[in-house]
Amino acid sequence: MIELQEDGEIACPAARVWAVVADYGQDPRWRKGVETMAPRPEGIVQVGTTTAEVMRFAGRTYRNGGEVIQVEPGRSFAWRTTSGIDAEGGRLVEPLGEDRCRFTFHVRVTPRATSERLLEPALRWLLRRSIRADVRRLACLCVS
C-alpha cells in the first residue's frame, strides 16, 4: 500500500483555496496529468458527488470512477474510487490567518497487479513528487 500526505502553505485566504480544491472541475488546472474529471453534480463537492477521471501518470492512462463520501464544508472532504485504481484520500484546507492557509492532500493507493507491487517504491517516489508539484501549482493558481 502506498500512503502519502503532502501539504503546503498558500498565501491566500482559505475560502479561495477551498473554492478551487473542492470543485473537481478545477482539477485539470492544477493537477498535472488530469485530462478530465467530469464531476456530477458540477460545482463544490457534496456527499455523493461522483467523478469520471482520466489521467496520465507514469506513462499510463488511468480511468477512475470516484465518489465523495464525507464533506466538512469550507474545510475538507474525503473520497474513494469506485472503479479503476484502488484508492482513497482527502483534501483539507486550514486557515492560518486571514490571508494564508495550509492545504493538505492525502492519498492511499493499493497496488493490485504483481508488477505494481514490485514497483511500489518507484511508484511511491513518483506519486510523492507529483503531489508536491500539484500543491505548488495550486498555490500559484490561487495567488494569481
Side-chain angles (χ1 to χ4, degrees):
M1 178 185 314
I2 299 170
E3 186 165 5
L4 299 171
Q5 180 172 305
E6 294 295 328
D7 61 40
E9 284 191 29
I10 301 177
C12 64
R16 180 186 244 170
V17 174
W18 176 256
V20 174
V21 301
D23 179 353
Y24 272 126
Q26 300 284 330
D27 277 26
R29 295 180 67 200
W30 63 276
R31 290 183 56 218
K32 185 175 182 180
V34 175
E35 295 174 5
T36 60
M37 198 54 136
R40 295 289 177 256
E42 294 180 353
I44 300 299
V45 295
Q46 57 192 351
V47 172
T49 295
T50 61
T51 57
E53 176 186 56
V54 177
M55 73 174 297
R56 299 246 339 131
F57 177 75
R60 290 188 57 193
T61 298
Y62 294 89
R63 297 180 193 312
N64 305 307
E67 73 176 333
V68 174
I69 56 174
Q70 182 180 14
V71 177
E72 187 177 340
R75 182 171 169 78
S76 67
F77 71 92
W79 56 269
R80 69 178 184 90
T81 56
T82 56
S83 63
I85 63 171
D86 184 4
E88 62 185 1
R91 299 176 184 183
L92 169 68
V93 179
E94 301 171 285
L96 299 174
E98 288 184 25
D99 295 323
R100 288 185 24 222
C101 66
R102 175 178 307 284
F103 171 66
T104 303
F105 189 100
H106 173 255
V107 65
R108 181 180 305 129
V109 179
T110 304
R112 292 185 198 159
T114 302
S115 61
E116 290 173 338
R117 288 192 297 273
L118 291 173
L119 295 172
E120 192 171 311
L123 291 172
R124 179 185 311 274
W125 182 83
L126 286 170
L127 185 57
R128 181 177 307 280
R129 188 174 126 189
S130 177
I131 293 171
R132 285 179 179 165
D134 289 345
V135 172
R136 287 191 301 273
R137 273 189 294 281
L138 173 65
C140 290
L141 176 65
C142 290
V143 170
S144 62

